[in-house]
Amino acid sequence: MKGLELSRRFFEAYGMPMLREQFAALLPHLAAGLLGSGSECFGFDDAVSRDHDFEPGFCIFLPGEDVVDRRAGFQLERAYAKLPREFEGVSRPVLLPVGGARRGVLRTGEFFTEKVGAPDGVLTLGQWLSLPEQALAEATNGEVYFDNAGELSAIRERLAYFPEDVRLKRLAGHLLLMAQSGQYNYARCLAHGEPAAAQMAVGEFVKSALSAVFLLNRRYQPYYKWSFRALRGLPLLSELAAPLEALLTTDNAAPAEKSDTIERVAAAVIDALQAQDLTQAVCGDLEKHAYSVNDRVSDGDLRNAHVLAAV
């Protein structure tokens, strides 16, 4: 059973009855769900995932202390701690999980401050440009079971995806890095007799290609170890998972074949750029497409900032 299903079933069996019976007066102010850190919040968990931080738990989100005070919050924490220690054959940990308190009673503002640096999800341009995508992914993933006050859902909606100018700036930067590392430096490193550097160039190409694909899909890229699993489920360019994986897992024994794979990935990305009307370039050189995408940024200051300013 996946963690999201386990959590929901545990919540329905014990969480919601506990809230209705013991905290009916607070219910209008509360929200609950499973979101944040952990592979189960993305639906990526498997048998291996159960070796740490896996439990039949959920999150109860509280507003500020002016609405739900510390005493009420403490009572909720005590009630949550008294829920059954085992459910569907899975035990709840006695000690805090490796990543800290991921489940239980959380203040909504504190949760989002920890994830994105803003309790209300209102971000400055600088924050949008500099925040790691995995943090934004963890702020918007999972499932909300109920949100009676609407605060949690409103913040998640504000964070749902990058503003378009930020998406374009990030995309332009990653396209340029793809051009530099894959289309240019891979072959040159080999010509210099530097196979390790060539493999590093391939790694940089794959990292930026992954970022570009997620940006073209308007989806946040999760933590790196889940990037390929998430890529295989994307509606656009999911077919690039196999060639990108091959680039990382093969050596330089057939450099011409590897260069051909790089160009095939580049061509697929360019096709997607053109389909979204994001580039005016008509060639196979990703660098030219990078600057063309950058020209689409509407904010003058952001457009004139270095093309790599957002990566």
Side-chain angles (χ1 to χ4, degrees), residues 61-116:
F61 291 95
L62 280 62
E65 292 182 12
D66 57 327
V67 179
V68 176
D69 63 23
R70 285 189 187 183
R71 182 172 180 275
F74 177 71
Q75 290 171 337
L76 274 165
E77 290 173 357
R78 296 265 321 254
Y80 181 88
K82 291 178 181 178
L83 294 177
R85 306 307 307 173
E86 184 175 314
F87 181 72
E88 302 281 353
V90 182
S91 298
R92 295 169 59 202
V94 177
L95 300 176
L96 285 177
V98 174
R102 296 179 171 183
R103 311 290 174 252
V105 180
L106 308 170
R107 293 283 178 182
T108 303
E110 292 176 1
F111 173 83
F112 286 106
T113 297
E114 191 242 326
K115 293 301 178 189
V116 302

Coordinates of all heavy atoms in Angstrom, one line a residue, residues 61-116:
F61 N -3.0 20.9 10.4 CA -2.4 22.3 10.2 C -3.3 23.3 11.0 O -4.5 23.3 10.9 CB -2.4 22.7 8.8 CG -1.4 21.9 8.0 CD1 -1.8 20.8 7.2 CD2 -0.1 22.4 7.9 CE1 -0.9 20.1 6.5 CE2 0.8 21.7 7.2 CZ 0.5 20.5 6.5
L62 N -2.6 24.1 11.9 CA -3.2 25.1 12.7 C -2.9 26.5 12.2 O -1.8 26.7 11.7 CB -2.7 25.0 14.1 CG -3.2 23.9 15.1 CD1 -3.0 22.5 14.6 CD2 -2.6 24.1 16.5
P63 N -3.8 27.4 12.3 CA -3.5 28.8 12.1 C -2.6 29.4 13.2 O -2.2 28.7 14.1 CB -4.9 29.5 12.0 CG -5.7 28.7 12.9 CD -5.2 27.2 12.8
G64 N -2.4 30.7 13.2 CA -1.6 31.3 14.2 C -2.2 31.3 15.6 O -3.4 30.9 15.8
E65 N -1.4 31.6 16.6 CA -1.8 31.5 18.0 C -2.9 32.4 18.3 O -3.6 32.3 19.4 CB -0.6 31.7 18.9 CG 0.4 30.6 18.8 CD 1.6 30.7 19.8 OE1 1.5 31.6 20.7 OE2 2.6 30.0 19.6
D66 N -3.1 33.5 17.5 CA -4.2 34.4 17.8 C -5.6 33.7 17.5 O -6.6 34.2 18.0 CB -4.1 35.7 16.9 CG -4.0 35.4 15.5 OD1 -3.5 34.3 15.1 OD2 -4.5 36.2 14.7
V67 N -5.5 32.6 16.8 CA -6.8 31.9 16.4 C -6.9 30.6 17.3 O -7.9 30.3 17.9 CB -6.9 31.6 14.9 CG1 -8.2 30.8 14.6 CG2 -6.8 32.9 14.1
V68 N -5.8 29.8 17.2 CA -5.7 28.6 18.0 C -4.5 28.7 18.9 O -3.3 28.7 18.4 CB -5.6 27.3 17.1 CG1 -5.4 26.1 18.0 CG2 -6.8 27.2 16.2
D69 N -4.7 28.9 20.2 CA -3.6 29.2 21.1 C -2.7 28.0 21.4 O -3.0 26.9 21.0 CB -4.1 29.9 22.4 CG -5.0 28.9 23.2 OD1 -4.9 27.7 23.0 OD2 -5.9 29.4 24.0
R70 N -1.6 28.3 22.1 CA -0.7 27.2 22.5 C -1.3 26.1 23.2 O -0.9 24.9 23.0 CB 0.5 27.8 23.3 CG 1.5 28.6 22.5 CD 2.7 29.0 23.3 NE 3.5 29.9 22.6 CZ 4.7 30.3 23.1 NH1 5.1 29.9 24.3 NH2 5.5 31.2 22.5
R71 N -2.1 26.4 24.1 CA -2.8 25.3 25.0 C -3.6 24.4 24.1 O -3.4 23.2 24.2 CB -3.6 26.0 26.0 CG -4.3 25.0 27.0 CD -5.0 25.7 28.1 NE -5.6 24.7 29.1 CZ -6.8 24.2 28.9 NH1 -7.5 24.5 27.8 NH2 -7.3 23.3 29.8
A72 N -4.3 24.9 23.2 CA -5.1 24.1 22.3 C -4.2 23.3 21.4 O -4.5 22.1 21.1 CB -6.1 24.9 21.5
G73 N -3.1 23.9 20.9 CA -2.2 23.2 20.1 C -1.5 22.0 20.8 O -1.4 21.0 20.3
F74 N -1.2 22.3 22.1 CA -0.6 21.2 22.9 C -1.6 20.1 23.1 O -1.2 18.9 23.1 CB -0.2 21.8 24.3 CG 0.4 20.8 25.2 CD1 1.6 20.2 25.0 CD2 -0.3 20.4 26.3 CE1 2.2 19.2 25.9 CE2 0.2 19.4 27.2 CZ 1.4 18.9 27.0
Q75 N -2.8 20.4 23.3 CA -3.9 19.3 23.5 C -4.0 18.5 22.2 O -4.2 17.3 22.3 CB -5.2 20.0 23.9 CG -5.2 20.6 25.3 CD -6.4 21.4 25.6 OE1 -7.1 21.9 24.7 NE2 -6.8 21.5 26.9
L76 N -3.9 19.2 21.1 CA -4.0 18.5 19.8 C -2.8 17.5 19.7 O -2.9 16.4 19.2 CB -4.0 19.4 18.6 CG -5.4 20.0 18.2 CD1 -5.3 21.2 17.4 CD2 -6.2 18.9 17.5
E77 N -1.6 18.0 20.0 CA -0.4 17.2 20.0 C -0.5 16.0 20.8 O -0.2 14.8 20.4 CB 0.8 18.0 20.4 CG 1.2 19.1 19.4 CD 2.3 20.0 19.9 OE1 2.7 19.8 21.1 OE2 2.8 20.9 19.2
R78 N -1.1 16.1 22.1 CA -1.3 15.0 23.0 C -2.2 14.0 22.4 O -2.0 12.8 22.4 CB -1.8 15.5 24.3 CG -0.9 16.4 25.1 CD 0.0 15.7 26.2 NE -0.6 14.7 26.9 CZ -1.0 14.8 28.2 NH1 -0.9 16.0 28.8 NH2 -1.5 13.8 28.8
A79 N -3.3 14.5 21.8 CA -4.3 13.6 21.2 C -3.7 12.8 20.0 O -4.0 11.6 19.8 CB -5.6 14.4 20.8
Y80 N -3.0 13.5 19.2 CA -2.3 12.9 18.0 C -1.4 11.8 18.5 O -1.3 10.7 18.0 CB -1.6 13.9 17.2 CG -0.9 13.3 16.0 CD1 -1.7 13.2 14.8 CD2 0.4 12.9 16.0 CE1 -1.1 12.6 13.6 CE2 1.0 12.3 14.9 CZ 0.2 12.2 13.7 OH 0.8 11.6 12.6
A81 N -0.6 12.1 19.6 CA 0.4 11.1 20.1 C -0.3 9.9 20.6 O 0.3 8.8 20.7 CB 1.2 11.8 21.2
K82 N -1.6 10.0 21.0 CA -2.3 8.8 21.6 C -3.0 8.0 20.6 O -3.6 6.9 20.9 CB -3.3 9.3 22.6 CG -2.7 9.9 23.9 CD -3.8 10.4 24.8 CE -3.2 11.1 26.1 NZ -4.2 11.6 27.0
L83 N -2.9 8.3 19.3 CA -3.5 7.5 18.3 C -2.8 6.2 18.2 O -1.6 6.1 18.6 CB -3.4 8.2 16.9 CG -4.3 9.5 16.8 CD1 -4.0 10.2 15.4 CD2 -5.7 9.2 17.0
P84 N -3.4 5.1 17.7 CA -2.8 3.8 17.7 C -1.4 3.8 17.1 O -1.1 4.5 16.2 CB -3.8 3.0 16.8 CG -5.1 3.7 16.9 CD -4.8 5.1 17.1
R85 N -0.5 3.0 17.7 CA 0.9 2.9 17.4 C 1.1 2.1 16.1 O 2.2 2.1 15.6 CB 1.7 2.4 18.5 CG 1.6 3.1 19.8 CD 1.8 4.6 19.8 NE 3.1 4.9 19.1 CZ 3.4 6.2 18.8 NH1 2.6 7.2 19.1 NH2 4.6 6.4 18.3
E86 N 0.1 1.4 15.7 CA 0.3 0.5 14.5 C -1.0 0.5 13.7 O -2.1 0.6 14.3 CB 0.7 -0.9 14.9 CG 0.9 -1.8 13.7 CD 1.4 -3.2 14.1 OE1 2.3 -3.3 15.0 OE2 0.9 -4.2 13.6
F87 N -0.9 0.5 12.4 CA -2.1 0.5 11.5 C -1.7 -0.2 10.2 O -0.7 0.1 9.6 CB -2.5 2.0 11.2 CG -3.7 2.1 10.4 CD1 -5.0 1.7 10.9 CD2 -3.6 2.5 9.1 CE1 -6.1 1.8 10.1 CE2 -4.7 2.6 8.2 CZ -6.0 2.3 8.7
E88 N -2.6 -1.1 9.8 CA -2.3 -1.9 8.6 C -0.9 -2.5 8.6 O -0.3 -2.6 7.5 CB -2.5 -1.0 7.4 CG -3.9 -0.3 7.3 CD -5.0 -1.3 6.7 OE1 -4.6 -2.4 6.3 OE2 -6.1 -0.9 6.7
G89 N -0.5 -3.0 9.7 CA 0.8 -3.6 9.8 C 2.0 -2.7 9.8 O 3.2 -3.2 9.8
V90 N 1.8 -1.4 9.8 CA 2.9 -0.4 9.8 C 2.9 0.3 11.1 O 1.9 0.8 11.6 CB 2.8 0.6 8.7 CG1 3.9 1.6 8.6 CG2 2.7 -0.1 7.3
S91 N 4.1 0.4 11.8 CA 4.2 1.0 13.1 C 4.6 2.5 12.9 O 5.3 2.9 12.0 CB 5.3 0.3 13.9 OG 4.9 -1.0 14.2
R92 N 4.1 3.3 13.9 CA 4.5 4.7 14.0 C 5.8 4.8 14.8 O 5.9 4.1 15.8 CB 3.4 5.5 14.6 CG 2.1 5.6 13.8 CD 1.0 6.2 14.6 NE 1.3 7.6 15.0 CZ 0.7 8.2 16.1 NH1 -0.2 7.5 16.8 NH2 1.1 9.4 16.4
P93 N 6.8 5.6 14.4 CA 8.0 5.6 15.1 C 7.9 6.3 16.5 O 7.1 7.2 16.7 CB 8.9 6.5 14.2 CG 8.0 7.4 13.5 CD 6.7 6.5 13.3
V94 N 8.7 5.7 17.5 CA 8.7 6.3 18.8 C 9.5 7.6 18.8 O 9.2 8.6 19.4 CB 9.2 5.3 19.8 CG1 9.3 5.9 21.2 CG2 8.3 4.0 19.8
L95 N 10.6 7.5 18.1 CA 11.5 8.7 18.0 C 11.2 9.6 16.8 O 10.4 9.1 15.9 CB 13.0 8.2 17.9 CG 13.5 7.3 19.0 CD1 14.9 6.8 18.7 CD2 13.5 8.1 20.3
L96 N 11.7 10.8 16.9 CA 11.4 11.7 15.7 C 12.0 11.1 14.5 O 13.1 10.5 14.5 CB 12.0 13.1 16.0 CG 11.3 14.0 17.0 CD1 12.1 15.2 17.2 CD2 9.9 14.3 16.5
P97 N 11.4 11.3 13.3 CA 12.0 10.8 12.1 C 13.3 11.5 11.8 O 13.6 12.5 12.3 CB 10.9 11.1 11.0 CG 10.1 12.3 11.6 CD 10.2 12.0 13.1
V98 N 14.0 10.8 10.8 CA 15.4 11.4 10.4 C 15.3 12.8 10.0 O 16.2 13.6 10.3 CB 16.0 10.5 9.3 CG1 17.3 11.1 8.8 CG2 16.2 9.1 9.8
G99 N 14.3 13.2 9.3 CA 14.1 14.5 8.7 C 13.5 15.5 9.7 O 13.1 16.6 9.3
G100 N 13.3 15.1 11.0 CA 12.6 16.0 11.9 C 11.1 15.7 11.9 O 10.7 14.7 11.3
A101 N 10.3 16.5 12.6 CA 8.9 16.3 12.7 C 8.2 16.6 11.4 O 8.0 17.8 11.0 CB 8.3 17.2 13.8
R102 N 7.8 15.6 10.7 CA 7.2 15.7 9.4 C 5.7 15.5 9.4 O 5.0 15.9 8.5 CB 7.8 14.7 8.4 CG 9.2 14.9 8.1 CD 9.7 13.8 7.1 NE 11.1 14.0 6.6 CZ 11.7 13.3 5.7 NH1 11.1 12.2 5.3 NH2 12.9 13.6 5.4
R103 N 5.2 14.8 10.5 CA 3.8 14.6 10.6 C 3.3 15.1 12.0 O 4.1 15.4 12.9 CB 3.5 13.1 10.5 CG 4.1 12.4 9.3 CD 3.5 12.8 8.0 NE 4.2 12.3 6.8 CZ 5.0 13.0 6.0 NH1 5.1 14.3 6.2 NH2 5.6 12.5 5.0
G104 N 2.1 15.1 12.2 CA 1.5 15.6 13.5 C 1.0 16.9 13.4 O 0.5 17.4 12.3
V105 N 1.0 17.7 14.5 CA 0.4 19.0 14.6 C 1.4 20.1 14.2 O 2.5 20.2 14.8 CB -0.1 19.3 16.0 CG1 -0.8 20.7 16.1 CG2 -1.1 18.2 16.4
L106 N 1.1 20.8 13.1 CA 2.0 21.8 12.6 C 1.3 23.2 12.4 O 0.1 23.2 12.1 CB 2.5 21.4 11.2 CG 3.1 20.0 11.1 CD1 3.3 19.7 9.6 CD2 4.4 19.9 11.8
R107 N 2.0 24.3 12.7 CA 1.4 25.6 12.4 C 1.6 25.8 10.9 O 2.7 25.7 10.3 CB 2.2 26.7 13.1 CG 2.0 26.6 14.6 CD 0.6 27.2 15.1 NE 0.5 27.0 16.5 CZ -0.6 27.4 17.2 NH1 -1.6 27.9 16.5 NH2 -0.7 27.3 18.5
T108 N 0.5 26.2 10.2 CA 0.6 26.4 8.8 C 1.7 27.4 8.4 O 2.5 27.1 7.4 CB -0.8 26.9 8.3 OG1 -1.8 26.0 8.6 CG2 -0.8 27.1 6.8
G109 N 1.7 28.5 9.0 CA 2.8 29.5 8.7 C 4.2 29.0 8.9 O 5.1 29.3 8.1
E110 N 4.4 28.2 9.9 CA 5.7 27.7 10.2 C 6.1 26.7 9.1 O 7.3 26.6 8.7 CB 5.8 27.1 11.6 CG 5.7 28.1 12.7 CD 5.6 27.4 14.1 OE1 5.7 26.2 14.2 OE2 5.5 28.2 15.1
F111 N 5.1 25.9 8.7 CA 5.4 24.9 7.7 C 5.9 25.5 6.4 O 6.9 25.2 5.8 CB 4.1 24.1 7.4 CG 4.2 23.1 6.2 CD1 4.8 21.9 6.3 CD2 3.7 23.5 4.9 CE1 4.9 21.0 5.3 CE2 3.9 22.6 3.9 CZ 4.4 21.4 4.0
F112 N 5.2 26.6 6.0 CA 5.5 27.2 4.7 C 6.8 28.1 4.9 O 7.6 28.3 3.9 CB 4.4 28.1 4.1 CG 3.3 27.2 3.6 CD1 2.1 27.0 4.2 CD2 3.5 26.5 2.3 CE1 1.1 26.2 3.7 CE2 2.5 25.7 1.8 CZ 1.3 25.5 2.5
T113 N 7.0 28.6 6.1 CA 8.3 29.4 6.3 C 9.5 28.4 6.1 O 10.5 28.8 5.5 CB 8.3 30.0 7.7 OG1 7.2 31.0 7.7 CG2 9.6 30.7 7.9
E114 N 9.3 27.2 6.7 CA 10.4 26.3 6.6 C 10.6 25.8 5.1 O 11.8 25.6 4.7 CB 10.1 25.0 7.4 CG 11.2 24.1 7.6 CD 10.9 22.7 7.0 OE1 9.8 22.2 7.1 OE2 11.9 22.1 6.6
K115 N 9.6 25.7 4.4 CA 9.7 25.2 3.0 C 10.2 26.3 2.0 O 11.1 26.1 1.2 CB 8.4 24.7 2.5 CG 7.9 23.4 3.2 CD 8.9 22.3 3.0 CE 8.5 21.0 3.8 NZ 9.5 20.0 3.8
V116 N 9.5 27.5 2.1 CA 9.8 28.5 1.1 C 10.2 29.9 1.7 O 10.4 30.8 0.9 CB 8.6 28.7 0.2 CG1 8.2 27.4 -0.5 CG2 7.4 29.2 0.9

